[in-house]
Amino acid sequence: MAGVRLRSLLFLAPLLLLCSLSFSQGHRHGVKPITEEYYDRILLYYTNLTVAIDKSPWRLQVFDNKTEAAILSESTDIDKKLGFGLWEGEYLNLYEGYLFRVGDVTRWYHATSLLSYQKPATFVVGTSDTENNATLTVVIDNPSQFKLSIKINVNHPGKGNRVAMGFNLVNKTEGFYGFGERFNDANQRGHRVGHWLEEGSFGLGNWDKDLRVPKGELCTYAPMPLTISSRGYGLQMDMYHRTVFDSKRWDDVMYIEAEADFFHMTLFAGKTPRVRVTLS
Ligand SMILES: *[C@@H]1O[C@H](CO)[C@@H](O)[C@H](O)[C@H]1NC(C)=O
Ligand SMILES: *[C@@H]1O[C@H](CO)[C@@H](O)[C@H](O)[C@H]1NC(C)=O
Ligand SMILES: *[C@@H]1O[C@H](CO)[C@@H](O)[C@H](O)[C@H]1NC(C)=O
Ligand SMILES: *[C@@H]1O[C@H](CO)[C@@H](O)[C@H](O)[C@H]1NC(C)=O
């Protein structure tokens, strides 16, 4: 029981903090970056953050303007970088308390290179879906000094219901906290953390201390698609659709999937929560 209470507190602290940030900052849209365009790269200088877009192959990175340290670096691996696709399968309505489904991603396409750029920060990106000439529109906004909004939409005539993007992890010590109420651990590095509502799973006592039925240890009735990395930044998915933060599939990236044909995310990039609150 004590364990459960401790974990509840652990997830509540970062959660309350980020919530208060989201609400206290209001919406200060339209902070226009100073832009510099080179043949292979576009740089957007916001007050404290620099966004670097590599044109070909496409790549998104965010740096601290002062220290030049990378905050977010999109993976350059085509399996892990920005992409979209189609999941096909069946939802099994066995019992309303849990999500049961069988299926798989049957088609996947990745971002290739920048096709066009419109100031201040709208990017149209080509994809490997050359059959439909599908593109991705990426719009970046800086609602407050240490916040960056990244909105990605898929433009294609076909069907699509997944968009995902992987960010490189610095090393094995980077941890991910938050995610709402979870019962397995405070640090979710190495787990595939889904954000949808289910009942909790049941333990089997001494019979098998690790087994949780019916759906493993990550079921929760209070998920939140929001995390704080031990490196000090936070990521939040701004959508009501199911999302997954996966650092299990590959150990060198945090792979974030949205179960929709768009991907809307906020990066909280202050060094510490205190900096974000006082300077925003
Ligand atoms: C953010 O940018 C402003 C303006 O350049 C600067 O005065 C301030 O020190 C920066 N804050 C941090 C934490 O780097
Ligand atoms: C910080 O931003 C300014 C423009 O506001 C730019 O001239 C400078 O190069 C940037 N520094 C880094 C390290 O990106
Ligand atoms: C995709 O683009 C190519 C070259 O511009 C064009 O020939 C083809 O008809 C396009 N296909 C579709 C489905 O729009
Ligand atoms: C991992 O990266 C962090 C942040 O850059 C650094 O402080 C730490 O020393 C690194 N740890 C190891 C084991 O490399």
Side-chain angles (χ1 to χ4, degrees):
M1 213 44 208
V4 170
R5 255 184 245 138
L6 180 64
R7 278 168 197 163
S8 303
L9 285 178
L10 280 172
F11 94 81
L12 268 176
L15 191 151
L16 290 176
L17 222 137
L18 282 188
C19 284
S20 65
L21 288 175
S22 304
F23 293 120
S24 64
Q25 287 175 354
H27 290 282
R28 198 161 60 88
H29 284 282
V31 179
K32 288 211 176 93
I34 296 167
T35 56
E36 281 176 15
E37 184 165 357
Y38 301 95
Y39 78 100
D40 60 346
R41 194 171 233 211
I42 295 171
L43 294 173
L44 311 174
Y45 295 113
Y46 294 95
T47 316
N48 297 83
L49 301 172
T50 305
V51 175
I53 302 287
D54 287 354
K55 294 183 182 175
S56 186
W58 159 270
R59 187 186 191 194
L60 170 82
Q61 286 173 280
V62 182
F63 297 90
D64 183 312
N65 179 277
K66 203 187 260 170
T67 65
E68 297 186 39
I71 298 167
L72 273 191
S73 293
E74 183 183 349
S75 175
T76 50
D77 189 324
I78 57 169
D79 293 334
K80 306 172 189 171
K81 69 188 294 188
L82 173 61
F84 73 96
L86 180 69
W87 181 93
E88 289 179 293
E90 288 293 329
Y91 284 77
L92 311 171
N93 296 314
L94 300 178
Y95 168 59
E96 282 181 359
Y98 297 99
L99 174 72
F100 290 109
R101 53 185 176 180
V102 285
D104 210 348
V105 171
T106 54
R107 269 175 262 171
W108 196 257
Y109 308 99
H110 62 269
T112 51
S113 53
L114 185 68
L115 298 178
S116 68
Y117 158 54
Q118 200 190 326
K119 283 189 178 184
T122 301
F123 303 89
V124 179
V125 189
T127 72
S128 58
D129 182 5
T130 47
E131 196 187 322
N132 295 305
N133 296 339
T135 60
L136 298 159
T137 303
V138 180
V139 179
I140 295 169
D141 189 22
N142 179 221
S144 68
Q145 254 179 43
F146 290 100
K147 235 162 107 177
L148 212 61
S149 140
I150 300 168
K151 292 197 163 90
I152 299 164
N153 289 289
V154 185
N155 317 303
H156 60 126
K159 288 183 287 179
N161 54 24
R162 292 290 185 278
V163 182
M165 199 175 192
F167 297 104
N168 291 335
L169 298 176
V170 172
N171 59 35
K172 297 240 180 324
T173 64
E174 182 170 6
F176 290 92
Y177 300 83
F179 295 119
E181 187 177 29
R182 302 286 165 176
F183 301 96
N184 58 327
D185 212 335
N187 180 2
Q188 300 298 349
R189 177 74 187 267
H191 291 282
R192 180 180 159 83
V193 188
H195 295 89
W196 53 82
L197 204 75
E198 289 181 298
E199 297 201 30
S201 282
F202 296 91
L204 299 179
N206 287 338
W207 188 70
D208 184 335
K209 290 201 173 74
D210 297 324
L211 195 63
R212 299 279 187 285
V213 289
K215 288 214 47 199
E217 59 184 9
L218 274 157
C219 293
T220 176
Y221 31 74
M224 285 199 76
L226 181 159
T227 185
I228 296 184
S229 154
S230 57
R231 281 172 51 222
Y233 65 91
L235 293 172
Q236 168 184 287
M237 295 306 288
D238 303 316
M239 44 201 298
Y240 295 109
H241 298 66
R242 293 186 186 111
T243 54
V244 180
F245 285 65
D246 189 349
S247 56
K248 181 181 183 180
R249 185 166 167 191
W250 294 292
D251 67 0
D252 60 341
V253 298
M254 171 52 91
Y255 193 68
I256 307 175
E257 290 172 82
E259 298 193 5
D261 60 359
F262 63 96
F263 180 107
H264 292 181
M265 183 176 85
T266 295
L267 163 70
F268 298 90
K271 272 256 154 24
T272 64
R274 185 186 167 85
V275 168
R276 288 198 299 268
V277 177
T278 52
L279 292 181
S280 308

